[in-house]
Amino acid sequence: MGKLLNTSFLRYAIVGASGFAVDYTVFLLVLTGMKSGGMELFAEVAANGAGMLAGAVWCYLLNRTWSFRSKGRMTAEAARYAALLAFNTVVSSALLKWLCTRYGLEPWLVKIPLMGAVFLWNYFAARFLVFRNHK
């Protein structure tokens, strides 16, 4: 088990699972709060952004220290991670809103496969762009 946990992808997956819990919990809380408060028009987009931000901060810190064991400059990595987060938030929010509007799907259901796609894309972006090793 020790050798298995020594791979960055498995550590990333464990961090990602905990990040999913943070992201999805915040997403549901904001979505429910906005819809019950009569702010339904942008509820999906705002909830998605809030969830992704909370999950990203959680995952950044754990991925930097544990998954990728980075020794790079934190400010440069944080800037690259923030750019990746911005890209992911815009693309996933647009897809979430489009799928919910176009097909009448529930946001809480659409969010799950979107998070799966972001998870896979993010591993490669984090591994080779954000926490890249400079030797």
Side-chain angles (χ1 to χ4, degrees), residues 76-127:
E77 289 175 349
R80 290 190 298 267
Y81 197 83
L84 178 62
L85 172 63
F87 173 81
N88 289 338
T89 301
V90 168
V91 171
S92 67
S93 293
L95 282 170
L96 181 75
K97 185 67 175 174
W98 179 74
L99 289 167
C100 291
T101 303
R102 169 93 176 162
Y103 298 105
L105 300 171
E106 291 294 325
W108 60 269
L109 186 60
V110 174
K111 173 85 171 157
I112 295 171
L114 280 177
M115 289 177 77
V118 169
F119 168 81
L120 292 174
W121 154 253
N122 267 0
Y123 173 75
F124 294 104
R127 173 74 176 86

Side-chain angles (χ1 to χ4, degrees), residues 3-16:
K3 283 190 179 213
L4 188 59
L5 278 176
N6 213 14
T7 68
S8 65
F9 184 78
L10 182 60
R11 290 189 307 264
Y12 177 81
I14 292 168
V15 169

Side-chain angles (χ1 to χ4, degrees), residues 10-131:
L10 182 60
R11 290 189 307 264
Y12 177 81
I14 292 168
V15 169
S18 66
F20 170 85
V22 171
D23 181 336
Y24 201 65
T25 299
V26 170
F27 170 77
L28 290 175
L29 290 171
V30 173
L31 182 68
T32 303
M34 288 186 76
K35 285 192 170 193
S36 67
M39 297 179 280
E40 296 172 353
L41 184 60
F42 296 105
E44 294 95 349
V45 173
N48 189 53
M52 288 189 74
L53 179 61
V57 170
W58 174 263
C59 288
Y60 169 75
L61 294 172
L62 290 176
N63 280 325
R64 183 178 197 285
T65 58
W66 188 55
S67 299
F68 300 109
R69 297 179 178 150
S70 177
K71 303 285 189 227
R73 285 189 29 230
M74 190 174 206
T75 53
E77 289 175 349
R80 290 190 298 267
Y81 197 83
L84 178 62
L85 172 63
F87 173 81
N88 289 338
T89 301
V90 168
V91 171
S92 67
S93 293
L95 282 170
L96 181 75
K97 185 67 175 174
W98 179 74
L99 289 167
C100 291
T101 303
R102 169 93 176 162
Y103 298 105
L105 300 171
E106 291 294 325
W108 60 269
L109 186 60
V110 174
K111 173 85 171 157
I112 295 171
L114 280 177
M115 289 177 77
V118 169
F119 168 81
L120 292 174
W121 154 253
N122 267 0
Y123 173 75
F124 294 104
R127 173 74 176 86
F128 297 107
L129 298 174
V130 175
F131 301 112

